[in-house]
Amino acid sequence: MWGDIAIAFMIAFMTSFMATPHTINFAKKLGAVDTPKDNRRINKITMPRLGGLAVILGFIVSITYLLIVMSIEKNINIMKDDMLTKLIGFILGGLVIGIVCFIDDIKNIKAIYKLLAQIVASIIVINFGIKIDYIDIIKIDSSNVLFYDILTIFWIVGITNAMNLIDGLDGLSTGISIISCVSLIIIFSLNGSPIISIVLITALCGSLVGFLPYNFNPAKTFIGDTGSNFLGYCLSIISILGIAKTYTAIVIVAPLIVLALPVFDTVFAVIRRIIKGKSLKAIIQPDAGHLHHKMLQKGFTQKQAVLILYGLSATFGMFAIILLDSGIWKALSFALIIIVIIAMGYKEFFKQRLLSDISEDEENVSIDEEK
């Protein structure tokens, strides 16, 4: 199994890494660029935004190869548990979201159309057998199909939008997705999840690692709505596939904890926009109140804000892993220790970072004067 996982990661990584420069040129030719035209945008220069195509390509190439090879070797049976049907639904739903978001990256369509695409994609995957159909902490029988279908739609649409909304700084959504993927790989391994879910999440992780060098600050390209929506869609679907064998409370909650940072940011954004706009229509109106915006307003640099959010995301991921493997008390004690360490050292840490940044600026000024 681990050999297949290593192959899934490496093929996805190399494909994404080598394809990204081509997506940069492709975006420029199509005019799919992000121009800084309002205060909400962080970038100061025009940036190509079709990097997500490289991530998608790496994912598809890796999965296609692995499914063929593993089927020949009989390490996987895609006919079992209607897995082939589910994969077809996964692909069709991804096509709906991908096409709509690709158009958005070029022409900037209304947010309502992207939301409709996400709902349609969710309905497609449900009809192809991918859905949450039982949770032991909810006293609703699995025969109540409508309830669980609606719950699945909310999960897919919610996670897809969460990854899209947190995509506000160089490398932020990419790095958080990588951390989420690594956490889910460990969780799926501990949980004895289907091998297909582990291979899928590993391929997604590899694609993102290959893309990150081009996306981290200072970025050469953005992942775009095509990429961020694809990330959220994949994470939501693979999470469902990964818990397919067990629907206990901890197993269900674990993926939610792993994705807690983008989920909380999205929930607060919805509440904030409704209160501010005093209508449900305000939910789809962009604003500059996200967590990463707040951190920049507090004086953090892009890199500092991104690294801090990486740390928070990794902490949530570790909490979920410890919770699943060792129980609630060890997970809570871990979280408490992390909080205490941060509380004791964050002021001095950021003071040193500030002094380092000032020294770098002065050094750059001296070099310019010498020139």
Side-chain angles (χ1 to χ4, degrees):
M1 181 184 79
W2 291 108
D4 294 324
I5 290 173
I7 292 170
F9 179 90
M10 200 61 193
I11 291 178
F13 166 77
M14 289 302 299
T15 304
S16 176
F17 184 78
M18 299 305 293
T20 300
H22 295 287
T23 66
I24 293 173
N25 295 330
F26 185 52
K28 291 177 180 178
K29 288 180 181 179
L30 289 180
V33 295
D34 190 287
T35 304
K37 56 189 177 183
D38 55 49
N39 294 329
R40 196 173 57 84
R41 299 180 188 277
I42 308 301
N43 53 304
K44 302 303 180 183
I45 60 173
T46 299
M47 191 72 65
R49 57 181 181 187
L50 284 179
L53 293 179
V55 176
I56 296 171
L57 181 63
F59 179 77
I60 291 174
V61 170
S62 177
I63 290 303
T64 302
Y65 172 80
L66 260 297
L67 287 179
I68 293 172
V69 171
M70 292 177 72
S71 295
I72 293 173
E73 295 177 342
K74 301 187 184 304
N75 290 333
I76 191 171
N77 183 5
I78 60 173
M79 305 306 296
K80 185 180 179 181
D81 298 326
D82 296 321
M83 186 53 63
L84 179 60
T85 302
K86 292 176 180 178
L87 288 173
I88 292 172
F90 179 34
I91 293 168
L92 291 176
L95 279 174
V96 171
I97 291 179
I99 291 170
V100 172
C101 290
F102 178 76
I103 295 171
D104 178 60
D105 278 332
I106 298 173
K107 298 183 178 294
N108 290 317
I109 63 177
K110 292 182 179 179
I112 188 65
Y113 296 129
K114 290 185 286 184
L115 178 60
L116 289 174
Q118 294 163 5
I119 294 172
V120 169
S122 303
I123 294 172
I124 289 172
V125 298
I126 288 171
N127 280 281
F128 277 79
I130 300 176
K131 60 180 177 178
I132 302 168
D133 53 20
Y134 180 71
I135 305 176
D136 67 351
I137 56 174
I138 299 178
K139 303 303 180 183
I140 298 178
D141 192 79
S142 58
S143 61
N144 192 326
V145 177
L146 181 59
F147 171 81
Y148 286 105
D149 284 355
I150 293 174
L151 180 63
T152 303
I153 291 173
F154 268 98
W155 172 255
I156 296 172
V157 172
I159 298 301
T160 302
N161 276 293
M163 296 312 302
N164 183 43
L165 290 175
I166 206 167
D167 182 32
L169 298 178
D170 293 351
L172 182 56
S173 65
T174 304
I176 286 177
S177 296
I178 291 171
I179 294 167
S180 300
C181 286
V182 172
S183 301
L184 289 174
I185 290 170
I186 298 171
I187 288 169
F188 291 165
S189 299
L190 291 172
N191 186 46
S193 297
I195 182 63
I196 185 65
S197 61
I198 299 176
V199 171
L200 287 170
I201 199 70
T202 303
L204 182 62
C205 184
S207 290
L208 290 166
V209 173
F211 175 69
L212 185 60
Y214 301 96
N215 188 227
F216 194 75
N217 184 267
K220 297 178 179 65
T221 182
F222 288 163
I223 199 166
D225 271 14
T226 306
S228 60
N229 278 264
F230 173 77
L231 294 183
Y233 172 76
C234 284
L235 286 168
S236 65
I237 299 297
I238 298 171
S239 295
I240 295 173
L241 294 175
I243 62 172
K245 284 188 176 181
T246 311
Y247 288 92
T248 60
I250 292 177
V251 174
I252 292 291
V253 170
L256 183 60
I257 297 173
V258 168
L259 298 166
L261 187 62
V263 168
F264 288 160
D265 187 56
T266 301
V267 170
F268 292 143
V270 170
I271 296 172
R272 181 180 65 249
R273 291 174 184 181
I274 290 175
I275 293 174
K276 188 176 180 180
K278 297 181 179 179
S279 75
L280 291 176
K281 290 182 179 179
I283 293 175
I284 60 175
Q285 298 300 320
D287 60 14
H290 291 285
L291 183 57
H292 52 271
H293 289 122
K294 296 294 185 183
M295 294 184 72
L296 293 180
Q297 291 167 14
K298 290 289 185 181
F300 293 109
T301 66
Q302 271 209 60
K303 283 184 179 179
Q304 288 173 348
V306 168
L307 291 174
I308 292 168
L309 293 175
Y310 282 0
L312 285 173
S313 184
T315 301
F316 281 122
M318 286 299 298
F319 181 88
I321 293 166
I322 295 169
L323 178 66
L324 183 63
D325 186 54
S326 304
I328 183 65
W329 295 113
K330 184 178 282 189
L332 287 174
S333 63
F334 161 77
L336 180 61
I337 291 172
I338 293 297
I339 291 170
V340 170
I341 291 171
I342 292 172
M344 291 175 62
Y346 83 99
K347 286 186 178 180
E348 188 64 26
F349 171 78
F350 289 117
K351 185 171 77 174
Q352 294 299 325
R353 289 291 304 171
L354 180 61
L355 291 173
S356 176
D357 290 341
I358 292 172
S359 298
E360 287 180 7
D361 291 340
E362 290 176 348
E363 185 177 342
N364 291 332
V365 170
S366 298
I367 292 172
D368 291 339
E369 289 176 349
E370 289 176 3
K371 290 181 178 179

